[in-house]
Amino acid sequence: MKGKKVVMDAEGIDRSLTRIAYEILEENKGTENIVLVGIQKGGVFLAKRLGRKIAGMEGDEVPLGILDITLYRDDIMTRDRKPKMGKTDIPFSLDHKTVILVDDVLFTGRTIRAAMDALMDFGRPKLIQVAVLIDRGHRELPIMANYVGRSLPSSLWEEISVNLTEKADADEVIIEIC
Amino acid sequence: MKLVLKGGRVIDPSQSIDSEMDVIIEKGRISGIERDFPQKESGTGVRIIDCRGMLVVPGLIDMHTHLREPGFEYKETVKTGSDAALAGGFTSIACMANTDPVNDNRSVTEFILRQARAADGVHVFPVAAVSRNLEGAVLTEFTDLLDAGAVALSDDGKPIVHSGLMRNALEYAHSLGLPLMSHCEDPGLSTGGHMNESLVSTELGLPGIPAIAEDIMVLRDIAIAEYTKISLHIAHVSTAGSVRAVRDAKARGVAITAETAPHYFSLTDEALAEYSTNCKVYPPLRTADDAEAVKEGLKDGTLDAIASDHAPHSSIEKDVEFEYAATGMIGLETSLALSYALVHTGILTERQLVEKMSTNPAAILRIPKGTLQTGVDADVTLIDPGRTWTVDTSLFRSKSRNSPFQGWKLKGKAVMTIVSGKIKYDER
Amino acid sequence: MKLPRKDILGLKDVPRDEIALILDTAESLKEISSRPIKKVPTLRGKTVINLFYEPSTRTRTSFEIAAKRLSADAINISTSTSSVVKGETLIDTAMTLDSMNPDIIVIRHGASGAPHILAKLLPQSIINAGDGAHEHPTQALLDMLTIRERKGAVEGLTVAIVGDIAHSRVARSNIYGLTTMGAQVRICGPAMMIPRGIEKLGVSVFTSMDEAIANADVIMMLRIQFERQNNVMFPSTREYARNYCLQAENLRHTRKDVLIMHPGPINRGIEIAPDIADGPHSAILDQVANGVAVRMALLYLLSGEQE
């Protein structure tokens, strides 16, 4: 473990999420037909936090789903070790909805690509928008995020992790040199 | 031309000989056993074979083999079976009647003997069928078969279920001087079974053949032998129950003889864990307790002989699902080494081994073999007790390869086989 | 996370953590069967061959649906329509299929040990869908998944298996799987249908059904295999049903929350009374749904590059 740096602390994360929530409401002119879908594992808690913020701002509960994209990965057949599958639960129709896909880090874009394929199997959303806490660049597919907490240019031998108190000791975003 | 087997340990139970001697062979016969045959006589019409370190014994006799000719020549012929026997150290073999057509008439017996003469290998002694077509219903013509050259009778492969027929057969055979060899199996208990009934068969999901399928018929045959006061031979003993029954019968004075095969003291039913069809045999491989009982039976004389029950099968019969596979394994080329392991582990002495594999089979079959007395046909086997070798069936002389001992490291081998004074196998 | 084996031939020596992995994966995959589009692209382009030497609608259909829900191509070969009838050996059939490069072969066969022949010979993963009286691992896995779902866990439960144990591959696989996962297993059947040595597998043996099911958490009724008997073992179905058919009266001494299971197809009135099969304690239909999930889990866990 060479160098471990905290680039965003609890306050920073909270402010970013608040801004993203306002941006979502501004862009979509309110909460009508919006649903939040958190991508396993990093996006689920963030989606729940965004949901609570939006409820606090507009007074409306936005439907929340969770999506595991393991089965849609493009590298699933070439991996020796298959990753542990998480739960998928989207208990509402996606037809005609604006789906906000939420993830913690946007990197190559392959996760979002897989998530979009999965959403198409659930129905036909009217709009798909992407909200991420960190965009670290190095896209391999033409994918972009509509809402970004912070852009963090990084090199390929750095690892960026988002820790949240729901699972970890503190809210923080960490860069680590491998 | 004299052939002198010099300096080996000569073991001939029929003459109570067990010491370092020289065996002299002339004109195809044993002309004497002496001490210190003069070495300098070599070269003058005398060939001396150095047998130091080896056992020199009366030619081994396998009293239970299946040569598959006529009818199943793709599995084995009299010639290839004879070659396999020579490589295994045997000078005489008895072959069973379950050929196609069955050896239940003189023409088949004569055919087998003709093939044996043409093969010019080991002495072949046909065992003819007790019942026509092995159906267990009508007796064959014993007189005719004896006249044609059969030395004994057996429906081996199938049991004689009808006790009345068995009794009649035994009495009639006795009156003609023909030994009868019994394959003991109660089909009411064995039908549908493919291996020994035990925890192993339960785990493998295969219908089992309980030990009592054999024990019941052994007891029945002993009762018939006792009642008629006629000697009977029990083939391929595999269970503790059978060994006990034979032991008790002998103690009562009943004239029973019995043989077992090397696989019953070398393997148990656990060998089938991978559904290995080369381990599929009848009687089936049994439990460790049964194997111990068989060894005990050999040691205390309950079991008189070791016979391979050499049963060749081709890939067509063996490379299939276990239930569909034919039963049987080849054994001529591994029998001696597997049996010699009993000497290495102290269960048998060398003398006892020779008794089980030569002296006693000759006595049971009532053939003038199994001895090195002066004047007899010179059938001699040279055994190197220390020779280590690894079983490689691709080098076998048998036509078939169905042996579960592939890859086994064994110690003890027949290195020379002499039949009627001629060296027919030499691997020194 | 990976199964450290190429094939699923049985549950005999499969350790607890592997069984748990399969069940956990099955649970995650179950949700796909309730989506409007019941398909994920995971095994797209993979070929699964169902080689069924014994007739079976439910197991074969279950494997076929499992493969298709993962977007694999499922090919069904059943013996009545194939070269096997013309006398082709199992090995020849296997080599022929291998030349067409399938990814997974699922085999059901009447001879115990048949899947082992394929597993030794072929590089593909082989899944045993039932061989003779030996094992039926996917059935036991779906049974355990059902028990886990309804009871929370398998560990510590008392499970009674009732029927023709001697000829039952379902019984054997369940004995291995359930004991590995920590359940207490009781087996029960007519005395001549209790296989030799079975108590050495850690089960308690009963011939009275009422005794066997007293206070059991789960009762598993087996199919009576009239078509597999070699010896004519049992006098009549009437006599069998009298002693071993699960009826309402028998449930009087069981727990109130007892779970009743059957691998199917059911012989109504012989193994289980109709009202019990359709009643509130029955998990028989759950078993079927879980069958698809468990088979999807195995196809998923076995496929992909083997290191």
Side-chain angles (χ1 to χ4, degrees):
Chain A
M1 225 179 355
K2 295 248 180 77
K4 208 171 153 185
K5 206 167 91 172
V6 177
V7 292
M8 223 171 154
D9 62 5
E11 270 182 10
I13 291 175
D14 191 56
R15 284 194 200 107
S16 285
L17 287 177
T18 304
R19 174 175 53 76
I20 290 174
Y22 274 124
E23 285 179 352
I24 290 173
L25 292 170
E26 181 187 35
E27 180 67 25
N28 294 294
K29 302 186 176 44
T31 61
E32 205 180 323
N33 288 322
I34 290 183
V35 301
L36 289 164
V37 174
I39 300 178
Q40 291 275 21
K41 291 186 292 218
V44 174
F45 296 128
L46 288 174
K48 289 189 175 157
R49 290 193 189 190
L50 276 177
R52 282 198 291 276
K53 286 200 182 289
I54 289 174
M57 291 161 188
E58 295 274 307
D60 294 327
E61 289 288 337
V62 169
L64 177 75
I66 58 182
L67 176 65
D68 182 281
I69 55 104
T70 309
L71 297 171
Y72 288 83
R73 294 176 66 116
D74 57 15
D75 61 350
I76 196 75
M77 283 302 121
T78 54
R79 284 177 68 112
D80 179 40
R81 313 194 126 260
K82 299 202 165 53
K84 200 161 154 62
M85 245 188 285
K87 204 168 125 123
T88 292
D89 185 18
I90 302 183
F92 42 80
S93 167
L94 297 182
D95 293 349
H96 314 303
K97 295 281 195 277
T98 296
V99 176
I100 318 277
L101 274 175
V102 182
D103 205 359
D104 53 355
V105 179
L106 175 56
F107 186 19
T108 60
R110 293 184 188 273
T111 300
I112 300 296
R113 193 279 315 156
M116 286 202 285
D117 278 353
L119 290 180
M120 297 307 180
D121 279 350
F122 277 89
R124 191 181 184 281
K126 178 154 170 276
L127 278 179
I128 297 179
Q129 296 170 349
V130 175
V132 297
L133 185 64
I134 303 289
D135 179 348
R136 66 173 288 193
H138 297 288
R139 219 71 85 229
E140 293 174 3
L141 299 174
I143 300 278
M144 59 157 236
N146 306 78
Y147 313 100
V148 179
R150 161 133 18 138
S151 270
L152 217 53
S154 62
S155 57
L156 287 171
W157 45 90
E158 284 167 334
E159 202 176 296
I160 298 186
S161 13
V162 174
N163 294 342
L164 300 174
T165 51
E166 284 91 330
K167 270 245 145 120
D169 295 327
D171 280 351
E172 52 191 12
V173 179
I174 295 179
I175 280 191
E176 213 172 304
I177 315 239
C178 311
Chain B
M1 170 68 168
K2 257 189 211 180
L3 182 62
V4 179
L5 308 173
K6 187 163 173 53
R9 178 179 167 192
V10 178
I11 303 179
D12 182 2
S14 74
Q15 301 180 83
S16 293
I17 293 176
D18 182 354
S19 52
E20 193 186 298
M21 308 276 262
D22 305 331
V23 176
I24 297 123
I25 298 172
E26 261 182 299
K27 296 201 179 79
R29 295 185 179 279
I30 306 280
S31 70
I33 301 181
E34 318 174 352
R35 281 190 195 285
D36 299 318
F37 183 87
Q39 180 74 35
K40 62 172 153 45
E41 279 209 39
S42 151
T44 52
V46 173
R47 179 175 172 189
I48 297 188
I49 308 270
D50 181 1
C51 296
R52 281 174 299 174
M54 311 224 202
L55 304 185
V56 179
V57 305
L60 301 179
I61 301 168
D62 194 329
M63 61 183 295
H64 189 147
T65 68
H66 296 269
L67 294 183
R68 306 293 190 216
E69 189 175 16
F72 304 104
E73 290 83 355
Y74 69 100
K75 300 186 195 186
E76 195 84 280
T77 61
V78 174
K79 167 100 177 84
T80 59
S82 168
D83 289 342
L86 288 169
F90 295 97
T91 56
S92 299
I93 58 179
C95 58
M96 293 296 172
N98 57 342
T99 47
D100 182 16
V102 168
N103 185 10
D104 63 2
N105 67 85
R106 76 179 300 147
S107 42
V108 179
T109 305
E110 286 174 353
F111 171 73
I112 293 172
L113 288 167
R114 227 174 18 250
Q115 295 299 85
R117 275 194 299 278
D120 193 26
V122 299
H123 303 291
V124 176
F125 294 97
V127 176
V130 172
S131 69
R132 279 202 211 152
N133 208 32
L134 301 175
E135 276 161 12
V138 178
L139 294 181
T140 55
E141 295 174 308
F142 292 5
T143 314
D144 216 23
L145 290 164
L146 172 61
D147 196 51
V151 303
L153 298 161
S154 178
D155 270 3
D156 181 69
K158 298 175 77 174
I160 296 174
V161 182
H162 194 294
S163 303
L165 190 86
M166 180 58 143
R167 182 242 177 111
N168 290 346
L170 191 60
E171 288 180 331
Y172 188 37
H174 174 68
S175 68
L176 296 169
L178 280 165
L180 196 141
M181 299 164 66
S182 181
H183 164 117
C184 294
E185 175 188 348
D186 182 344
L189 286 166
S190 67
T191 299
H194 297 287
M195 62 173 286
N196 185 41
E197 185 183 88
S198 68
L199 175 63
V200 183
S201 65
T202 293
E203 286 181 325
L204 293 176
L206 288 168
I209 301 170
I212 47 173
E214 176 176 317
D215 302 349
I216 284 178
M217 292 305 252
V218 169
L219 288 163
R220 179 205 73 172
D221 287 350
I222 288 173
I224 294 178
E226 193 165 5
Y227 185 73
T228 57
K229 299 193 181 25
I230 295 173
S231 155
L232 173 71
H233 179 78
I234 311 276
H236 44 49
V237 167
S238 72
T239 66
S242 299
V243 172
R244 188 170 46 243
V246 174
R247 183 180 290 125
D248 293 347
K250 283 186 172 182
R252 286 199 306 280
V254 184
I256 293 285
T257 59
E259 77 191 38
T260 188
H263 36 279
Y264 299 120
F265 53 78
S266 308
L267 290 168
T268 66
D269 55 5
E270 312 229 330
L272 285 122
E274 295 294 306
Y275 293 99
S276 163
T277 55
N278 284 337
C279 293
K280 187 177 180 184
V281 67
Y282 190 85
L285 298 178
R286 304 280 187 188
T287 67
D289 287 343
D290 294 306
E292 280 313 300
V294 165
K295 287 184 203 168
E296 199 46 51
L298 283 167
K299 186 174 174 149
D300 72 9
T302 302
L303 301 176
D304 306 272
I306 294 173
S308 69
D309 198 0
H310 178 85
H313 286 295
S314 76
S315 139
I316 299 170
E317 288 89 30
K318 285 292 194 179
D319 286 342
V320 291
E321 298 86 316
F322 195 90
E323 294 172 26
Y324 308 153
T327 54
M329 54 174 89
I330 49 173
L332 281 167
E333 293 171 84
T334 48
S335 184
L336 174 61
L338 289 168
S339 305
Y340 212 96
L342 298 173
V343 176
H344 289 309
T345 52
I347 292 173
L348 292 178
T349 62
E350 289 86 342
R351 178 188 167 134
Q352 283 175 306
L353 183 69
V354 177
E355 285 172 346
K356 310 287 181 196
M357 295 188 75
S358 187
T359 328
N360 294 348
I364 295 167
L365 290 173
R366 301 178 206 174
I367 53 178
K369 300 285 175 198
T371 176
L372 295 175
Q373 282 173 352
T374 304
V376 302
D377 232 10
D379 292 340
V380 191
T381 306
L382 254 62
I383 301 174
D384 181 351
R387 161 101 45 129
T388 52
W389 58 291
T390 302
V391 178
D392 181 358
T393 55
S394 68
L395 301 175
F396 274 8
R397 282 147 182 84
S398 166
K399 235 182 191 181
S400 294
R401 299 281 169 268
N402 53 317
S403 169
F405 303 108
Q406 171 68 15
W408 281 43
K409 295 196 181 356
L410 299 174
K411 190 165 152 195
K413 205 169 201 290
V415 296
M416 183 185 276
T417 312
I418 298 170
V419 182
S420 299
K422 282 194 259 172
I423 299 173
K424 294 198 176 168
Y425 181 77
D426 188 353
E427 203 206 318
R428 280 174 299 148
Chain C
M1 217 118 321
K2 173 181 146 106
L3 282 184
R5 59 186 70 241
K6 168 171 95 75
D7 315 290
I8 302 287
L9 301 178
L11 292 185
K12 178 162 183 255
D13 295 310
V14 178
R16 200 172 168 138
D17 57 332
E18 263 181 71
I19 294 182
L21 171 63
I22 296 169
L23 297 182
D24 290 341
T25 307
E27 221 169 271
S28 304
L29 292 171
K30 214 175 156 177
E31 162 269 321
I32 296 169
S33 298
S34 42
R35 295 186 192 179
I37 296 185
K38 301 178 198 23
K39 215 185 245 292
V40 291
T42 321
L43 292 192
R44 197 171 65 92
K46 300 291 176 187
T47 306
V48 175
I49 295 189
N50 288 328
L51 183 58
F52 276 60
Y53 280 78
E54 271 186 342
S56 154
T57 314
R58 75 208 300 114
T59 306
R60 212 196 63 216
T61 308
S62 185
F63 268 107
E64 189 181 343
I65 289 182
K68 287 178 170 166
R69 292 211 169 137
L70 292 171
S71 295
D73 295 322
I75 313 291
N76 294 325
I77 301 180
S78 57
T79 56
S80 55
T81 56
S82 78
S83 60
V84 171
V85 174
K86 295 184 205 148
E88 189 179 42
T89 66
L90 175 62
I91 291 182
D92 281 340
T93 302
M95 299 308 286
T96 306
L97 294 177
D98 180 46
S99 323
M100 298 186 226
N101 226 345
D103 297 281
I104 297 181
I105 297 179
V106 177
I107 174 170
R108 166 173 282 196
H109 199 293
S112 306
H116 294 68
I117 298 178
L118 296 191
K120 268 188 253 199
L121 206 55
L122 302 177
Q124 291 83 13
S125 289
I126 308 294
I127 299 181
N128 179 8
D131 65 327
H134 177 232
E135 287 229 40
H136 192 353
T138 59
Q139 179 69 45
L141 287 165
L142 73 89
D143 288 339
M144 286 189 280
L145 184 63
T146 308
I147 294 173
R148 212 170 78 154
E149 247 172 27
R150 298 279 282 246
K151 296 282 183 183
V154 171
E155 179 153 27
L157 296 182
T158 299
V159 180
I161 304 177
V162 181
D164 178 1
I165 310 286
H167 293 100
S168 172
R169 53 195 177 211
V170 172
R172 281 167 181 74
S173 290
N174 267 304
I175 289 172
Y176 296 131
L178 290 166
T179 48
T180 300
M181 298 306 274
Q184 297 293 318
V185 179
R186 299 178 185 164
I187 56 150
C188 171
M192 59 289 216
M193 293 179 186
I194 305 283
R196 190 136 173 116
I198 193 92
E199 65 284 351
K200 297 197 193 115
L201 296 182
V203 304
S204 325
V205 181
F206 294 79
T207 50
S208 152
M209 182 168 71
D210 285 331
E211 278 174 31
I213 65 178
N215 296 313
D217 298 288
V218 180
I219 304 173
M220 240 184 235
M221 304 304 293
L222 298 176
R223 236 180 106 59
I224 176 94
Q225 316 267 22
F226 286 118
E227 68 266 17
R228 224 196 287 283
Q229 317 283 34
N230 283 311
N231 300 318
V232 181
M233 273 196 171
F234 213 82
S236 65
T237 55
R238 178 168 160 263
E239 175 107 345
Y240 181 86
R242 185 172 171 178
N243 289 306
Y244 299 103
C245 179
L246 190 66
Q247 317 206 47
E249 311 86 89
N250 302 112
L251 295 185
R252 265 184 294 129
H253 301 291
T254 60
R255 300 165 55 102
K256 292 277 165 289
D257 60 352
V258 72
L259 193 66
I260 296 178
M261 299 171 64
H262 189 298
I266 313 169
N267 274 325
R268 284 166 181 265
I270 299 177
E271 298 141 10
I272 187 167
D275 57 319
I276 304 297
D278 303 328
H281 297 282
S282 163
I284 295 175
L285 294 177
D286 291 351
Q287 287 173 274
V288 177
N290 286 332
V292 176
V294 154
R295 287 157 184 144
M296 284 173 77
L298 287 175
L299 292 175
Y300 168 71
L301 288 167
L302 287 174
S303 60
E305 314 288 304
Q306 299 286 336
E307 202 96 313

